[in-house]
């Protein structure tokens, strides 16, 4: 935008994060343009235009605390949206929504390239589909909800069921196999989690190829609302101008929606369903549609999504789910039983679980695993009332195999090794399929269930079973 036609304005009203600015002459700055509010004492606050109230006044949302601002303070238009640093300079660094450094190290040089955080999604004609599998080494995900290279995967779960741990494990699992760039967006999360993430990435050696963008829980809603856009802008630069694959990790996308609802309420908009903003669908789409594969490079997104009160029919959850390729649903019941990762094999899904993409053996094995576990769940009420002895021999066999499958799909994580004392395991998809097929075929019917719990491949479970039999003197299992 041509800044010469927009003169400086003045603050006329402040209500928390909402600041009204009047411009006496010239054109008004456009919606989503950035403004800098300057206090006499040298304080500078960045705000973003959200509405034109009349021919001379705009309503803005401040992205930083407005304490100390007053009516009459000078407002300078930037001449476009917020522009943040991108490129090699941001790798290994932690920045906030405005691109300012947050890791206590030196500021960015003046010659670092900058890009606006608002831009349209790539046109459909330039996007390319992808069917390449993004191997994670996590058995239950690779088998039942395979992730797509250049796709969008979301981890849905309530409070305390393991979303952040799962996202951190996926980061850890990809250190060896994935050689591209990673961008992590911490949206409305706790300061402690951000500190742990920074330490974990430093210790694992991936920080040099990772950019961290944070808008923490204690920051104004405007900052939390725009943090994913800042992270996405950094990712798009590497995809479009460096032609590098990018792994975009977001924790937590629900906080982005929640911040948008707060902003909507501050701006005086009437709420929609369940109190969410009326612009919920378009806000989520503006973020998700920019995550795409273009040319020879792709952005692969892995997103954690908090599910309020474990209600999967919540409008925010259903709106986000409509955009993702792979849905990894975390179950509180499975977490309560100690089945970690607590991925629900029935509710989770992926568009890649197709014989034409993953192969006939993989697809058939996944369907048989699901069918067996679902049959077991249907029988659980009968079992709790009458006992497993009242089932037919066929049903009893299915129940026993389903319980063994559930335990085989558990796995120790590298990121929890410090707490559990158990070394993390990464399992190839071929080993996962072979193990599940062996259990379904009845090869493990005589094994103790505990032998299959928290192991990697079936061979490890076999060794565990043999050790257990030697210990009690009953000989080696069949």
């Amino acid at each position: 935008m041509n800044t010469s036609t927009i003169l400086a304005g003045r603050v006329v009203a402040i209500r928390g994060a909402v600041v009204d600015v009047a411009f006496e002459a010239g054109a008004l700055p456009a919606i989503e343009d950035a403004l800098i509010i300057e206090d006499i004492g040298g304080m500078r606050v960045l705000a973003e235009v959200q509405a034109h109230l009349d021919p001379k006044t705009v309503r803005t949302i401040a992205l930083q605390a407005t304490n100390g601002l007053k009516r009459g303070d000078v407002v300078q238009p930037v001449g476009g949206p917020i522009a943040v640093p991108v490129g090699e300079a941001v790798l290994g660094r932690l920045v906030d929504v405005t691109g300012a450094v947050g890791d206590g190290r030196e500021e960015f040089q003046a010659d670092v390239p900058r890009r606006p955080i608002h831009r349209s999604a790539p046109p459909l004609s330039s996007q390319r589909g992808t069917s390449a599998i993004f191997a994670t080494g996590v058995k239950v995900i690779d088998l039942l909800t395979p992730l797509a290279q250049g796709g969008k995967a979301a981890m849905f779960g309530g409070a305390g069921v393991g979303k952040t741990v799962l996202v951190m494990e996926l980061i850890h699992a990809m250190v060896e196999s994935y050689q591209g760039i990673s961008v992590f967006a911490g949206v409305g999360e706790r300061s402690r989690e951000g500190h742990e993430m920074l330490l974990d990435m430093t210790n694992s050696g991936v920080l040099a190829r990772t950019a961290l963008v944070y808008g923490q829980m204690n920051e104004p809603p405007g900052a939390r609302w725009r943090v994913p856009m800042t992270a996405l802008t950094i990712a798009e630069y590497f995809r479009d101008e460096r032609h590098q694959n990018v792994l975009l990790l977001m924790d937590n996308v629900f906080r982005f929606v929640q911040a948008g609802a707060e902003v909507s309420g501050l701006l005086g908009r009437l709420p929609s369903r369940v109190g969410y903003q009326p612009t919920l669908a378009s806000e989520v789409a503006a973020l998700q549609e920019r995550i795409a594969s273009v040319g020879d490079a792709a952005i692969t997104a892995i997103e954690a999504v908090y599910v309020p009160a474990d209600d999967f029919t919540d409008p925010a959850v259903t709106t986000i789910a409509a955009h993702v390729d792979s849905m990894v649903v975390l179950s509180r019941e499975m977490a309560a039983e100690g089945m970690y990762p607590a991925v629900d094999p029935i509710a989770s899904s992926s568009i890649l679980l197709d014989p034409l993409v993953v192969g006939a053996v993989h697809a058939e094995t996944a369907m048989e695993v699901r069918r067996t576990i679902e049959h077991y769940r249907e029988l659980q009420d009968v079992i709790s009332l009458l006992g497993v002895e009242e089932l037919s021999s066929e049903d009893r066999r299915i129940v026993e195999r389903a319980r063994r499958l559930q335990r085989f799909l558990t796995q120790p994580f590298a990121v929890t090794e410090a707490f559990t004392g158990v070394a993390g395991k990464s399992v190839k998809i071929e080993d996962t399929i072979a193990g599940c097929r062996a259990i379904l075929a009845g090869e493990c019917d005589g094994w103790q269930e505990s032998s299959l719990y928290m192991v990697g491949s079936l061979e490890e479970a076999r060794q565990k079973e043999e050790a257990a039999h030697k210990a009690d003197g009953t000989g080696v299992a069949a």
Side-chain angles (χ1 to χ4, degrees):
M1 179 182 286
N2 183 6
T3 56
S4 62
T5 60
I6 303 179
L7 305 176
R10 297 222 170 243
V11 173
V12 292
I14 305 171
R15 291 176 301 282
V18 178
V19 182
D20 291 351
V21 180
F23 293 85
E24 291 303 320
L28 290 179
I31 304 293
E32 295 183 343
D33 269 13
L35 306 175
I36 295 175
I37 307 168
E38 299 176 347
D39 183 59
I40 295 173
M43 176 181 172
R44 290 161 66 91
V45 174
L46 197 65
E48 189 178 271
V49 177
Q50 293 298 319
H52 291 175
L53 300 182
D54 58 48
K56 290 188 175 183
T57 313
V58 298
R59 179 157 289 169
T60 71
I61 283 287
L63 303 189
Q64 294 152 330
T66 56
N67 298 343
L69 294 184
K70 61 187 179 303
R71 284 185 291 180
D73 283 344
V74 177
V75 179
Q76 296 289 352
V78 171
I82 298 161
V84 295
V86 295
E88 299 290 333
V90 298
L91 295 179
R93 304 299 302 272
L94 187 150
V95 299
D96 66 9
V97 64
T98 66
V101 296
D103 52 14
R105 290 158 56 195
E106 72 279 359
E107 299 287 333
F108 293 115
Q109 300 294 323
D111 59 351
V112 170
R114 289 178 175 264
R115 296 292 182 271
I117 67 169
H118 295 293
R119 58 182 289 188
S120 55
L124 198 59
S125 57
S126 69
Q127 295 185 27
R128 61 175 174 84
T130 179
S131 59
I133 301 296
F134 204 78
T136 66
V138 180
K139 289 183 286 190
V140 68
I141 291 179
D142 287 345
L143 177 70
L144 299 175
T145 63
L147 311 187
Q149 179 105 32
K152 295 186 278 279
M155 318 287 168
F156 294 90
V161 294
K163 296 182 300 301
T164 300
V165 170
L166 189 53
V167 169
M168 288 177 70
E169 180 66 16
L170 292 178
I171 295 169
H172 191 275
M174 287 156 196
V175 173
E176 300 298 328
S177 61
Y178 180 76
Q179 296 301 317
I181 300 297
S182 299
V183 180
F184 182 85
V187 188
E189 290 297 286
R190 302 165 187 85
S191 307
R192 170 185 58 78
E193 291 175 335
H195 185 63
E196 287 174 0
M197 177 70 72
L198 188 59
L199 280 176
D200 189 63
M201 286 193 162
T202 304
N203 295 336
S204 61
V206 292
L207 190 62
R209 298 200 311 273
T210 305
L212 301 171
V213 188
Y214 273 94
Q216 293 170 174
M217 200 176 271
N218 60 339
E219 293 190 42
R224 288 179 270 124
W225 191 37
R226 291 311 191 201
V227 156
M229 302 303 185
T230 300
L232 196 47
T233 301
I234 294 170
E236 285 172 332
Y237 175 84
F238 286 106
R239 180 194 66 190
D240 298 338
E241 300 185 37
R242 295 296 182 89
H243 306 289
Q244 290 176 284
N245 288 329
V246 184
L247 178 63
L248 176 64
L249 302 131
M250 287 193 275
D251 187 9
N252 186 302
V253 182
F254 176 79
R255 305 292 179 204
F256 159 72
V257 172
Q258 199 173 40
E262 289 180 53
V263 168
S264 182
L266 289 169
L267 294 172
R269 295 175 185 152
L270 284 173
S272 183
R273 282 193 307 152
V274 200
Y276 286 109
Q277 60 270 44
T279 51
L280 172 64
S282 57
E283 284 176 16
V284 171
L287 173 67
Q288 300 285 357
E289 293 302 308
R290 285 170 63 180
I291 302 168
S293 302
V294 178
D296 56 354
I299 296 177
T300 305
I302 296 175
E303 310 166 6
V305 183
Y306 168 68
V307 179
D310 291 345
D311 179 14
F312 285 88
T313 64
D314 187 88
V317 176
T318 54
T319 303
I320 295 166
H323 290 272
V324 299
D325 307 313
S326 303
M327 278 183 66
V328 180
V329 177
L330 298 170
S331 159
R332 190 169 299 283
E333 289 74 22
M334 293 190 69
E337 292 173 17
M339 300 296 162
Y340 287 106
V343 176
D344 188 328
I346 310 304
S348 302
S349 62
S350 171
I351 61 169
L352 293 183
L353 200 59
D354 185 294
L356 297 174
V357 178
V358 297
V361 175
H362 183 162
E364 285 169 15
T365 306
M367 290 302 294
E368 190 59 34
V369 167
R370 276 211 178 110
R371 194 179 297 117
T372 303
I373 294 174
E374 192 163 21
H375 192 68
Y376 166 49
R377 288 188 178 178
E378 289 169 357
L379 294 169
Q380 275 182 322
D381 285 346
V382 176
I383 295 168
S384 60
L385 286 170
L386 303 174
V388 73
E389 297 80 13
E390 297 301 314
L391 299 176
S392 67
S393 58
E394 177 65 23
D395 282 347
R396 201 178 309 145
R397 186 162 56 249
I398 289 171
V399 166
E400 288 170 357
R401 288 176 185 173
R403 288 177 62 86
R404 284 173 172 79
L405 281 169
Q406 283 187 335
R407 278 148 185 77
F408 179 65
L409 292 176
T410 62
Q411 189 170 341
F413 280 174
V415 295
T416 59
E417 189 175 333
F419 310 107
T420 62
V422 181
K425 308 286 184 186
S426 179
V427 184
K428 293 179 180 176
I429 183 60
E430 300 83 22
D431 294 339
T432 302
I433 294 170
C436 289
R437 290 183 77 82
I439 293 169
L440 289 166
E443 292 179 28
C444 309
D445 283 359
W447 292 17
Q448 298 174 14
E449 290 180 359
S450 58
S451 298
L452 293 155
Y453 180 67
M454 284 293 169
V455 295
S457 65
L458 193 68
E459 189 54 40
E460 285 181 45
R462 193 186 305 278
Q463 293 169 7
K464 202 171 169 183
E465 176 72 9
E466 289 173 0
H469 278 274
K470 284 175 184 175
D472 61 17
T474 57
V476 179

